[in-house]
Amino acid sequence: MEPAPLSSLQEEDVEEREPAGEDSAFSAAAVPPRPATHQSQHKYAPLDWSAYFDEERRVAIPGTDDVFNVYTAGSEGPVVFCLHGGGYSGYVCAAVYLGTFDMFGQSDCVNANGSGLAEMLSMASRIKDKARVVAMDLRGHGKSTTSDDLDLSIETLTNDVIAVIRTMYGDSPPAIILVGHSMGGSVAVHVAARKEIRNLHGLVVVDVVEGTAMASLVHMQKILANRVQHFPSIEKAIEWSVKGGPLRNIESARVSIPSTLKYNESQGCYSYRTGLEETEKYWKGWYEGLSDKFLSCPVQKILLLAGTDRLDRALTIGQMQGKFQMIVVRHTGHAIQEDVPEEFASHILNFISRNKIGPNGVEIPGLIKKWGR
């Protein structure tokens, strides 16, 4: 695949030329020199995961060469186990804590440098007393390494998640809520349907519906090919992700995008870590039969959608029969958890509170906010 042109991504010339003239207030003599750092580089600088998660762990699966990278935050309450979509990474669940900051009215203390995070994290600790987040880099994504990173079959991905949960928690896991976005939503459904995870109490699927997904597969190769494929810097990749790519939240992109890239030594630029275009033979398996499987999962369920047109017939009937809760999150793109993290976090925590999930039935008062539909 030929690299996409980089001309549109080169640094902007921040020095504007002004008309000559001794009396001009904007002449070169009157204007102080600009700092060397470009504003665009500053605005899109990466943010470190440690501001959002407590720990990064390497989970080695016994009897295999597979090692999965896992991020954790919090130490008490039920586990919100997050599965990202294709091409993303576990960093997307940093949005859960981005969301808790805004819910407590602390968003104004964040500037372009990411400063103010300490104050926000102190408020977020109140959430971490009630629930904990575990975010996994799936096979072929992020920092996970396996014997076959291109085997993204639904069976393999499902087995991976079950193996990680068992390795981390043994036979007595805490109360678990599976949260999956897009491809990760399909994996979450398949894990829940297997009924092999003890103490599984909830399933949250984010913006994936069988009918819509199956219909879009014929366009997927074209969509992947039309992405900008190479970036001169990580900052430019972050900038593209919010200007022409899938995200709308700059701060979330500054956390999540770097882990989706790798440095190409031969070309001297950054490219995507995950070769999704090479896994086409698995795509149909991700979504085929997903709606019926979702409806049959014997746990409390919620479906978060970016638009009402995404429901297929099976889910429309199931929703009318009260088999799951559906919430339409408006004014957002496909990556709901990154575009509106405060609303996303609110829905997750309300789900835990409403269903009293946890050791003694977790109650989180005051979180049913304007987001309810």
Side-chain angles (χ1 to χ4, degrees):
M1 189 177 299
E2 290 297 321
L6 295 177
S7 57
S8 61
L9 293 169
Q10 300 303 316
E11 285 295 344
E12 298 173 357
D13 184 3
V14 297
E15 254 189 312
E16 296 179 2
R17 297 185 180 275
E18 300 295 340
E22 294 181 0
D23 297 332
S24 172
F26 300 100
S27 64
V31 179
R34 294 180 182 270
T37 302
H38 293 287
Q39 180 62 29
S40 61
Q41 292 285 319
H42 193 62
K43 181 178 180 181
Y44 298 104
L47 293 175
D48 191 76
W49 66 267
S50 60
Y52 305 94
F53 293 103
D54 297 336
E55 183 183 11
E56 179 183 31
R57 295 178 56 182
R58 301 286 286 169
V59 180
I61 306 303
T64 74
D65 296 326
D66 302 339
V67 181
F68 293 94
N69 207 61
V70 174
Y71 300 92
T72 65
S75 59
E76 301 293 335
V79 169
V80 179
F81 199 96
C82 299
L83 304 174
H84 59 79
Y88 294 81
S89 78
Y91 279 154
V92 300
C93 285
V96 173
Y97 284 103
L98 284 173
T100 61
F101 305 151
D102 285 343
M103 287 165 60
F104 287 110
Q106 298 296 309
S107 60
D108 290 341
C109 66
V110 181
N111 61 22
N113 292 314
S115 63
L117 290 177
E119 293 87 346
M120 292 162 60
L121 285 166
S122 68
M123 299 299 292
S125 65
R126 293 166 57 184
I127 294 297
K128 293 163 68 173
D129 289 339
K130 298 294 186 181
R132 42 191 151 162
V133 169
V134 176
M136 170 183 172
D137 286 342
L138 292 172
R139 175 180 295 255
H141 294 75
K143 297 180 183 178
S144 291
T145 58
T146 68
S147 57
D148 185 357
D149 280 354
L150 290 177
D151 180 6
L152 298 189
S153 66
I154 191 61
E155 294 83 7
T156 297
L157 293 172
T158 300
N159 289 336
D160 288 343
V161 173
I162 293 173
V164 168
I165 293 175
R166 284 178 172 170
T167 302
M168 291 182 68
Y169 301 113
D171 295 329
S172 301
I176 293 176
I177 303 99
L178 286 175
V179 179
H181 168 242
S182 194
M183 179 194 77
S186 172
V187 177
V189 169
H190 280 79
V191 171
R194 289 263 291 267
K195 304 178 184 178
E196 295 181 22
I197 299 299
R198 301 181 64 179
N199 219 14
L200 180 62
H201 286 256
L203 175 62
V204 181
V205 174
V206 184
D207 209 44
V208 57
V209 169
E210 177 184 351
T212 305
M214 293 294 288
S216 68
L217 289 183
V218 296
H219 307 293
M220 191 55 60
Q221 284 289 5
K222 183 177 181 181
I223 292 172
L224 293 175
N226 285 339
R227 297 185 300 176
V228 175
Q229 300 295 322
H230 299 82
F231 303 94
S233 67
I234 292 179
E235 288 81 2
K236 282 301 176 183
I238 294 171
E239 182 177 0
W240 178 83
S241 75
V242 292
K243 287 186 175 181
L247 304 181
R248 302 182 183 182
N249 184 321
I250 293 177
E251 186 175 355
S252 181
R254 292 169 68 190
V255 181
S256 66
I257 290 300
S259 64
T260 68
L261 304 170
K262 62 181 179 181
Y263 188 70
N264 189 318
E265 293 281 355
S266 62
Q267 296 186 346
C269 62
Y270 291 87
S271 59
Y272 296 108
R273 152 78 167 97
T274 307
L276 287 177
E277 64 279 356
E278 301 176 57
T279 66
E280 183 175 5
K281 62 182 178 181
Y282 302 122
W283 297 350
K284 186 177 179 181
W286 294 346
Y287 307 117
E288 196 169 41
L290 184 62
S291 292
D292 287 337
K293 196 175 290 289
F294 172 74
L295 293 170
S296 68
C297 289
V299 294
Q300 295 296 321
K301 300 180 286 291
I302 183 171
L303 178 63
L304 299 179
L305 296 176
T308 54
D309 60 325
R310 286 168 167 79
L311 275 190
D312 57 24
R313 185 173 183 273
L315 290 182
T316 299
I317 294 173
Q319 198 268 335
M320 293 174 64
Q321 293 174 338
K323 293 184 177 180
F324 66 96
Q325 180 188 5
M326 183 186 76
I327 297 176
V328 178
V329 184
R330 304 185 187 281
H331 311 298
T332 181
H334 178 50
I336 295 172
Q337 74 283 359
E338 297 206 59
D339 290 344
V340 287
E342 68 285 351
E343 183 171 353
F344 180 78
S346 180
H347 290 313
I348 297 297
L349 293 170
N350 285 338
F351 178 76
I352 294 172
S353 180
R354 183 169 48 253
N355 292 289
K356 296 182 172 61
I357 299 173
N360 303 304
V362 173
E363 294 282 359
I364 308 177
L367 290 180
I368 307 294
K369 299 178 61 177
K370 63 182 180 180
W371 315 123
R373 297 288 187 263

